[in-house]
Amino acid sequence: MKFKFLCLLCASGWLATACVDNNYDFGKLETDNIVIGDATSVTEMPLATVYVSMSEIASNQSDILALCRKADKWLPAPLPANADYIDLTQINDPGYSGEIFDALIAQMDSDPEKLDAIAALVYEEYAPEFSELLGVPASQPELFEEAFRIGYKEPAVNEELRNCFIGFLSADLHVEPFNYDIGSINISNDVVDMLADNLDPEGTPDPVNTLNLAGEIVSKLPISMQFSPTFRSGSYEIVSFDAYIDAMSDSCPIAESEQTRIYAEGLRRLVNGAEISIPVSFEKYYPGDSGFLNTPADDQTPQIEIRLHLIKRGGIKINF
């Protein structure tokens, strides 16, 4: 994962610079409580953009492209009731998965190319499980695949095929959490102090001076999924929240909420170097996306962009 950190604040965006007449004595001013803005003030500040390439969305040596290509081999076309997607949260429901599997068998009955594709997939991925059932050695691929084409509807072979089909969609079609060291963010200590020194502490009733992480997620993947990022510094949890990526939307918001609130200590730790872990849960898969499936295997174009900014509510304290 590659991070592109943006300069959080520009001096011109916060405090106008000016020539100061040295005849004025500012030493007599009480500056400890100078605050720009009031309880109704809202300021948004860019923080970082996280770029996630295809090779980083992976599980067990298979990246997301390989997983989706395998899913498209398994899935019938069209899907039952001409559905656009597979609801992966329902795969363990025998009625739902059974309907899809029956459609697969029906396509194998009428489409020799689909039958050949499944025979090759079974040999590549599950030869030991099927070898005894088919009565052919796993060391002979041509004989194995021919035996499968003849016997795939035999009860024992059909049942094992069903188990492999459901097992892939329910367990194998997933990716491991993304875990990365963010490193330090280029924000001056003065700016951090301005933000942190005027934040209401955790537990404050009806807080006015707050800081939240917000932004949007842009995904090119044909998958709707749940993101649950956690930002940590050592054992200290800075912020943790949930975000839903809808494959049918151009971008998906990271909404400002109590989940995304950052406190003073968390802000200081975040800018000084933190780690991010992003567990991902696939919910819907849209098969047949030729634009994605035809992506070169070595393509490092970002498939997911996580664009982050901060929202400061309330005034900003100025320290001289």
Side-chain angles (χ1 to χ4, degrees), residues 100-273:
I100 301 171
F101 182 75
D102 289 346
L104 170 64
I105 295 298
Q107 185 180 4
M108 291 166 63
D109 288 344
S110 61
D111 184 348
E113 290 187 5
K114 188 68 172 181
L115 179 56
D116 288 346
I118 295 297
L121 177 63
V122 167
Y123 179 76
E124 292 169 5
E125 302 289 335
Y126 310 102
E129 291 90 329
F130 283 85
S131 179
E132 184 174 347
L133 293 174
L134 294 171
V136 294
S139 59
Q140 299 184 37
E142 292 184 3
L143 184 61
F144 180 100
E145 292 181 23
E146 179 59 26
F148 177 86
R149 284 190 286 268
I150 295 171
Y152 71 91
K153 297 181 76 172
E154 293 294 326
V157 178
N158 183 271
E159 183 62 25
E160 185 62 29
L161 185 64
R162 181 189 297 267
N163 292 337
C164 294
F165 169 82
I166 296 174
F168 173 78
L169 294 177
S170 63
D172 296 343
L173 186 58
H174 78 284
V175 292
E176 302 297 334
F178 318 143
N179 295 286
Y180 294 93
D181 183 356
I182 297 176
S184 298
I185 300 177
N186 186 24
I187 304 174
S188 72
N189 290 333
D190 290 341
V191 170
V192 174
D193 290 342
M194 284 195 297
L195 295 172
D197 290 351
N198 198 41
L199 291 178
D200 295 336
E202 188 172 4
T204 301
D206 302 318
V208 173
N209 301 295
T210 61
L211 187 69
N212 284 78
L213 196 65
E216 65 175 346
I217 304 172
V218 178
S219 172
K220 299 179 182 178
L221 302 177
I223 302 171
S224 295
M225 64 192 90
Q226 190 76 31
F227 259 37
S228 300
T230 297
F231 293 75
R232 285 192 178 89
S233 175
S235 60
Y236 183 92
E237 184 176 301
I238 299 169
V239 66
S240 180
F241 60 90
D242 297 320
Y244 184 72
I245 297 178
D246 186 344
M248 295 293 101
S249 298
D250 292 335
S251 66
C252 306
I254 299 172
E256 179 186 7
S257 68
E258 185 60 32
Q259 270 195 328
T260 65
R261 189 172 170 192
I262 299 176
Y263 297 92
E265 177 65 17
L267 175 63
R268 297 185 189 281
R269 288 176 178 263
L270 177 63
V271 301
N272 287 326

Side-chain angles (χ1 to χ4, degrees), residues 30-45:
E30 294 289 339
T31 62
D32 289 344
N33 295 310
I34 292 180
V35 175
I36 293 178
D38 57 25
T40 65
S41 299
V42 180
T43 307
E44 295 192 19
M45 298 155 279

Side-chain angles (χ1 to χ4, degrees), residues 20-64:
V20 178
D21 188 334
N22 289 330
N23 290 325
Y24 290 94
D25 185 1
F26 288 95
K28 296 179 181 179
L29 289 176
E30 294 289 339
T31 62
D32 289 344
N33 295 310
I34 292 180
V35 175
I36 293 178
D38 57 25
T40 65
S41 299
V42 180
T43 307
E44 295 192 19
M45 298 155 279
L47 181 64
T49 298
V50 181
Y51 296 109
V52 186
S53 67
M54 192 163 53
S55 62
E56 292 162 324
I57 311 171
S59 176
N60 297 326
Q61 308 302 315
S62 293
D63 65 25
I64 188 62

